[in-house]
Amino acid sequence: MPKNSFTFKHFTINQDRCAMKVCTDACILGASTDVENVKNILDIGTGTGLLSLMLAQRSFAKIDAVEIDEDAYSQAFENVSVSKFSDKIVVHHQRIQSFVATQGYDLIISNPPFYQKSLKSIDNQTNKALHAVELSFEELIDSVVRLLKSNGKFVVLLPPFEIEKLIQIAQKKGLYLSKKILIRHDESKPIFRVIATFLDKPANNYEENTLEIHEERSVIYSEAFRTLMKDYYLIF
């Protein structure tokens, strides 16, 4: 049973009203995303506010966090409000398809709903969080294209099959894959999540890395994972 709260070194995520709880792959997304020279960030589908708070911890950027679900929005708003990063983040309760910004974003990040055509839960909140009910991949990419600055980056977390579908859609709309981080539990396990970075022009150098969370066939965290998460996790 997921905990109702998750405490990091510099902020706490309360999550009792959110369908999407704090998970390891989302934490990897927040910790691995490059924020160098980034002045403004858009977090699409912020959920608990996790990614916005993680990026606020190690950047000077102003962050807009957009969430359609009312309960998730109110929880993200509260998580941000009581944090030391509240002056950096504005949480918006609306659909990203109708979100209007005064300027483009240097970085757009998203851990979107990814089930496109699979059996749904009887819980409507879970459907919004996990299934592309309110936001299709096409709508996600259209929103990114509309809101991303020239030379900006879009970083997204999805399962392997879904990321390939998104890559195809993105390229047709003028976003090009520049980097992948392949995530697996250990060397003996298959890839279960992919973090992909897109640019608005073809990349000069494509980069691909693999991150194992644990040492092989062990519950011990890998050195790479420890290094990545040391500024966030209390256990490191």
Side-chain angles (χ1 to χ4, degrees):
M1 193 76 173
K3 296 190 298 183
N4 285 336
S5 67
F6 197 106
T7 301
F8 294 84
K9 285 184 176 178
H10 297 285
F11 58 87
T12 296
I13 296 292
N14 290 308
Q15 55 184 0
D16 55 292
R17 303 196 303 277
C18 287
M20 284 297 289
K21 312 299 184 185
V22 171
C23 58
T24 303
D25 42 304
C27 292
I28 293 171
L29 172 62
S32 65
T33 296
D34 181 12
V35 292
E36 186 177 3
N37 299 321
V38 169
K39 295 179 180 178
N40 52 14
I41 298 170
L42 175 63
D43 177 6
I44 298 179
T46 195
T48 60
L50 171 67
L51 294 178
S52 290
L53 286 162
M54 292 186 76
L55 297 183
Q57 179 179 318
R58 57 188 178 89
S59 78
F60 296 102
K62 292 294 185 181
I63 302 171
D64 285 315
V66 179
E67 176 56 54
I68 188 173
D69 181 79
E70 186 170 358
D71 287 335
Y73 158 75
S74 64
Q75 189 128 68
F77 182 86
E78 291 170 11
N79 287 335
V80 167
S81 296
V82 299
S83 77
K84 64 175 75 173
F85 309 113
S86 59
D87 61 330
K88 295 183 180 182
I89 305 168
V90 178
V91 186
H92 305 265
H93 181 212
Q94 66 179 102
R95 302 172 78 239
I96 192 61
Q97 296 94 322
S98 58
F99 179 72
V100 177
T102 56
Q103 58 182 338
Y105 293 91
D106 300 310
L107 169 65
I108 299 178
I109 192 168
S110 185
N111 180 12
F114 50 76
Y115 293 128
Q116 297 285 296
K117 293 181 180 178
S118 54
L119 292 174
K120 295 185 175 67
S121 165
I122 59 172
D123 183 344
N124 189 51
Q125 187 186 39
T126 300
N127 286 335
K128 283 184 181 180
L130 295 179
H131 298 261
V133 176
E134 302 286 349
L135 181 66
S136 69
F137 284 174
E138 287 82 2
E139 289 173 318
L140 173 61
I141 294 300
D142 284 342
S143 298
V144 171
V145 169
R146 177 171 59 86
L147 294 165
L148 191 67
K149 269 186 188 174
S150 178
N151 298 315
K153 295 177 296 187
F154 170 48
V155 185
V156 62
L157 171 71
L158 285 170
F161 177 77
E162 283 76 11
I163 202 70
E164 294 306 318
K165 294 175 67 175
L166 191 76
I167 289 168
Q168 294 175 11
I169 294 167
Q171 186 161 338
K172 290 177 182 177
K173 295 177 181 288
L175 289 177
Y176 302 92
L177 182 68
S178 68
K179 180 180 179 181
K180 272 186 186 177
I181 300 175
L182 311 177
I183 305 170
R184 57 187 175 188
H185 292 291
D186 63 50
E187 287 186 356
S188 69
K189 300 293 195 307
I191 301 299
F192 74 99
R193 291 289 185 273
V194 179
I195 296 172
T197 299
F198 295 86
L199 306 175
D200 64 351
K201 54 182 66 64
N204 293 325
N205 297 299
Y206 171 72
E207 182 181 345
E208 184 169 308
N209 301 299
T210 301
L211 175 68
E212 283 94 24
I213 297 170
H214 300 281
E215 293 181 8
E216 188 169 6
R217 303 183 188 280
S218 170
V219 296
I220 298 172
Y221 287 120
S222 69
E223 188 59 35
F225 181 76
R226 284 173 167 272
T227 299
L228 182 65
M229 301 308 304
K230 63 182 176 60
D231 292 334
Y232 293 102
Y233 278 13
L234 289 170
I235 59 173
F236 300 151

